[in-house]
Amino acid sequence: MPNLTANGSYADKTAVEAEFGEPYTNFMNFFAISGSTRKLSTNTAMLRALSHIAQPVHSISVFERIGDLPVFSPDLEMDPLPEPVQNFAEMIRQSDGLIISSPEYVRAIPGGLKNAIDWLVSRDEVINKPIALMHASHRGDDMLAQLRMVLTTVSSRFSDELFLRFDLMKKPPADIEAYLAQPENRLAAADFVSRFATYCGD
């Protein structure tokens, strides 16, 4: 599996082993999907902050280009796939597990995220892929219920128990980074990543 860089992609496992001074067998490459298309998305900012907390023990690649995927059509489900879809599916295939965080639009899954999932339904990238949810708001339970139902349908390894939620509504990205850096929140985030790594390794 190719290693990518930490600015939105995979870290080098050898760097982690150098940090620990011994082979590190539990290193995980996670792929975090933001369901928002906003440049200043709280969900994206939260996932970026999580990626910083996870290093160097694990790597989290944050995908914030959900709006780049073309509208799903069964007529396009043939080789070659549209390039953005092919790249998206390949990044999922290379990852050890998915972390998804999404806003709620009209009490439902936003169209961009549902479109991304639709592209994966008839493929094999997510069938056995471990998946866990995060959420950046005190609201959105209707959307979360729908998303859990969909993810349970497409993956045999969606974990309903692994879930981390922060109330970050209306906070700018810099404030979100600082909020997750607070000891209590950083500990909760690190524990979430650690538990997900254990789940992925089972």
Side-chain angles (χ1 to χ4, degrees), residues 84-132:
V85 177
Q86 183 61 52
N87 293 339
F88 177 65
E90 185 59 24
M91 286 186 282
I92 291 174
R93 183 185 300 279
Q94 291 181 12
S95 71
D96 294 306
L98 304 182
I99 299 171
I100 299 176
S101 183
S102 176
E104 175 187 69
Y105 288 162
V106 200
R107 300 177 65 181
I109 302 171
L113 178 58
K114 183 58 169 61
N115 181 61
I117 295 171
D118 287 347
W119 275 111
L120 301 170
V121 168
S122 63
R123 301 179 58 80
D124 62 0
E125 284 85 4
V126 297
I127 292 176
N128 298 308
K129 188 69 65 176
I131 304 175

Side-chain angles (χ1 to χ4, degrees), residues 144-182:
L144 287 168
Q146 293 174 23
L147 188 54
R148 287 183 175 108
M149 180 179 64
V150 169
L151 294 175
T152 300
T153 303
V154 300
S155 173
S156 64
R157 297 211 62 202
F158 169 67
S159 173
D160 197 25
E161 296 180 0
L162 287 167
F163 178 64
L164 183 61
R165 182 180 214 153
F166 293 111
D167 185 3
L168 303 173
M169 280 189 67
K170 299 183 179 179
K171 292 184 184 293
D175 288 354
I176 292 173
E177 182 84 25
Y179 182 85
L180 264 71
Q182 295 174 11

Side-chain angles (χ1 to χ4, degrees), residues 32 59 78 177:
S59 173
M78 60 186 71
E177 182 84 25

